[in-house]
Amino acid sequence: MLQELETNTELKNALLNSSNVVILTGAGISAESGVPTFRDKEGLWKKYRPEELANADAFMQNPQLVWEWYQWRRRLIHDVKPNPGHYALAEMEKLYPNFTLVTQNVDGLHREAGSSNVVELHGNIRRNKCFDCGKFVEVPDLDLQETPKCESCGGLIRPDVVWFGEMLPADAINLAFNVSRACDLFISVGTSALVHPAASLPVMAMQGGAYVLEVNPNATAITPSVDHTFYAPSGEILPDIVKFVKENRNQ
Ligand code: NAD
Ligand code: ZN
């Protein structure tokens, strides 16, 4: 892996000479922490596709089913810890003057690992809000099976995540568009790059002239158009990349 970093001059220049860096992460970066991606088998829940549960219609028709699925996912991530990939990105933030980490993940592991400039495109599964009035509500009991109701308006409480068919938070996606258009280096990590508008970000970066690097054990929708792909788990390659930049940046 390091061999490639030494011999690929364009890649080396992009890593060592960039000032404006954008990272896009997907479920794959958390896979090594034990958080299943949507393409993994999900035990009890495998008879449902995530698209069938993670949407407002499903919640209106059967709030109990959707609530229980989220409670199950929350219990799943409750005890997980960031992995070396998350920590490497937190380190990387300190190496570049302008660094933005855009994530599609809802698990909160980037902040837990120490990243500070994090843009959450799809919300955060640890938060809840009222389906009707939008008020944020704490639900500390991870075993609570009955869908709670809002104390202000009586509406049902839902997780503060972006469901299929819903708009992304405007501030978050606009910021992500702007930094992607203006960056010198864009790294897409652990995302299948299929879900738009997040999947447009690497394309915008390419159009803006950035060097686009991908980290994924498998080829994705953007693999044919990126400058380079490391076919490796993010927890293995990202620490190597950070080490390389630290050792060579000021030479
Ligand atoms: P995705 O579309 O982002 O695909 C997962 C990608 O990760 C795949 O391309 C896979 O090859 C890659 N991958 C697997 N192991 C990896 C590793 N060790 N290192 C690097 N890459 C690896 O994610 P999805 O599961 O199809 O989910 C779609 C949507 O749901 C996205 O918004 C996603 O972020 C969200 N989601 C979030 C979480 C979470 O918060 N952890 C979990 C599941 C789904
Ligand atoms: Zn309410």
Side-chain angles (χ1 to χ4, degrees), residues 25-33 35-40 42 50-51 73 77 83 86 103-109 122-123 125 162 164 189-195 198 214-220 230 232-237:
T25 64
I29 189 144
S30 296
E32 289 157 87
S33 292
V35 184
T37 67
F38 279 169
R39 283 153 193 51
D40 285 337
E42 296 210 7
E51 294 85 339
R73 290 185 61 201
I77 65 164
N83 67 59
H86 296 106
T103 187
Q104 302 169 81
N105 292 348
V106 296
D107 56 32
L109 289 176
H122 293 170
I125 198 171
V162 177
F164 290 96
V189 184
T191 172
S192 55
L194 287 172
V195 183
E214 181 178 41
V215 175
N216 199 309
N218 306 299
T220 72
F230 283 114
S234 42
E236 290 175 22
I237 187 67

Side-chain angles (χ1 to χ4, degrees), residues 130 132-135 150 152-155:
C130 173
D132 292 334
C133 74
K135 192 176 162 194
C150 175
S152 309
C153 79

Side-chain angles (χ1 to χ4, degrees), residues 114-191:
S115 286
S116 54
N117 200 7
V118 182
V119 180
E120 287 177 332
L121 291 182
H122 293 170
N124 193 311
I125 198 171
R126 297 171 201 226
R127 283 193 306 261
N128 287 285
K129 64 182 181 188
C130 173
F131 188 81
D132 292 334
C133 74
K135 192 176 162 194
F136 290 106
V137 178
E138 294 271 345
V139 185
D141 182 359
L142 290 179
D143 291 315
L144 181 71
Q145 290 305 313
E146 198 186 326
T147 320
K149 294 213 171 81
C150 175
E151 284 182 3
S152 309
C153 79
L156 291 166
I157 301 303
R158 57 165 284 180
D160 185 23
V161 298
V162 177
W163 279 336
F164 290 96
E166 291 184 323
M167 303 283 283
L168 271 59
D171 289 357
I173 191 64
N174 288 335
L175 178 62
F177 283 154
N178 289 341
V179 291
S180 299
R181 281 194 201 101
C183 70
D184 319 312
L185 171 63
F186 185 102
I187 313 182
S188 174
V189 184
T191 172

Side-chain angles (χ1 to χ4, degrees), residues 52-115:
E52 290 176 73
L53 297 170
N55 73 75
D57 286 343
F59 187 71
M60 283 188 291
Q61 278 165 22
N62 195 342
Q64 193 53 30
L65 176 74
V66 175
W67 177 260
E68 281 177 29
W69 182 55
Y70 276 98
Q71 288 291 76
W72 171 77
R73 290 185 61 201
R74 283 184 182 128
R75 286 194 299 274
L76 247 178
I77 65 164
H78 183 63
D79 295 322
V80 303
K81 294 276 166 268
N83 67 59
H86 296 106
Y87 288 116
L89 292 178
E91 264 312 278
M92 201 183 268
E93 181 167 2
K94 300 178 199 149
L95 301 176
Y96 297 98
N98 296 308
F99 183 95
T100 311
L101 173 44
V102 180
T103 187
Q104 302 169 81
N105 292 348
V106 296
D107 56 32
L109 289 176
H110 285 302
R111 281 186 215 278
E112 204 176 318
S115 286

